[in-house]
Amino acid sequence: MFKSRGMNILFIFMVLVIIGTVAAFFIMSNMSHNGETEKDPDIDEIVKNLTVATGEITTNIKGDHFIKLDFNIQVSSKDTKEELEKRSFQVKNAVIYTVSGMTPDDLQDQKGIANLEDLVKKRINGFLKNGTVTHVYTTEKIVQ
């Protein structure tokens, strides 16, 4: 190939380094993707093992009004569901504290409901020791 033997060896060495680098890149890339392919739970798994219903919660809010709420709370694991069921009194307390400072106008539109769900999620995650709340779904909301 080249006139000198040293240049031939250097060329072969460089080709091997490039091939090794490319192979290492693909192997490492494939390994990192395998860890991320964890599938999301199906709806049956969510309903049966990952969701806790709060039951009806009625309390007063600002301006001599009251609100009736019901939530389904989705959690990250079965252990978290068990913990959340034991802490149901803390969940209701978190909801009451959250809505007590709100007005009916704060809770009327989609943005207000989304804000309420986010605030409830943050409060509950604040006291959970095992896992997290992944979603809070409002299943009933009546403001009078």
Side-chain angles (χ1 to χ4, degrees):
M1 185 176 333
F2 292 106
K3 291 182 181 179
S4 82
R5 183 174 182 209
M7 286 298 283
N8 284 336
I9 292 173
L10 181 63
F11 178 75
I12 291 171
F13 177 74
M14 293 298 291
V15 168
L16 290 175
V17 167
I18 291 170
I19 291 171
T21 303
V22 170
F25 172 77
F26 282 115
I27 290 170
M28 296 300 281
S29 176
N30 191 26
M31 289 174 72
S32 70
H33 288 304
N34 286 342
E36 296 174 350
T37 58
E38 203 175 289
K39 68 175 193 164
D40 290 332
D42 64 3
I43 190 66
D44 293 329
E45 174 74 10
I46 291 170
V47 171
K48 183 178 179 185
N49 297 317
L50 301 176
T51 304
V52 177
T54 61
E56 191 176 287
I57 301 171
T58 305
T59 188
N60 58 326
I61 58 176
K62 280 187 176 179
D64 293 328
H65 296 277
F66 73 91
I67 187 166
K68 182 168 77 168
L69 294 164
D70 197 352
F71 296 102
N72 279 352
I73 301 170
Q74 183 181 339
V75 294
S76 58
S77 70
K78 291 179 185 180
D79 292 337
T80 309
K81 178 182 177 180
E82 290 173 11
E83 179 184 357
L84 196 61
E85 287 171 340
K86 292 176 185 174
R87 293 177 177 269
S88 65
F89 67 96
Q90 289 176 307
V91 171
K92 290 179 180 182
N93 178 264
V95 171
I96 291 168
Y97 265 80
T98 302
V99 298
S100 67
M102 296 181 159
T103 64
D105 291 337
D106 295 335
L107 300 163
Q108 289 304 319
D109 57 4
Q110 292 175 354
K111 187 177 178 182
I113 294 170
N115 182 47
L116 172 62
E117 291 172 349
D118 188 51
L119 291 171
V120 169
K121 176 181 171 181
K122 287 178 183 175
R123 277 197 188 260
I124 295 171
N125 279 332
F127 59 75
L128 281 178
K129 304 293 183 210
N130 184 13
T132 60
V133 171
T134 57
H135 293 91
V136 174
Y137 299 100
T138 304
T139 56
E140 183 179 8
K141 177 193 73 88
I142 299 172
V143 179
Q144 289 187 347

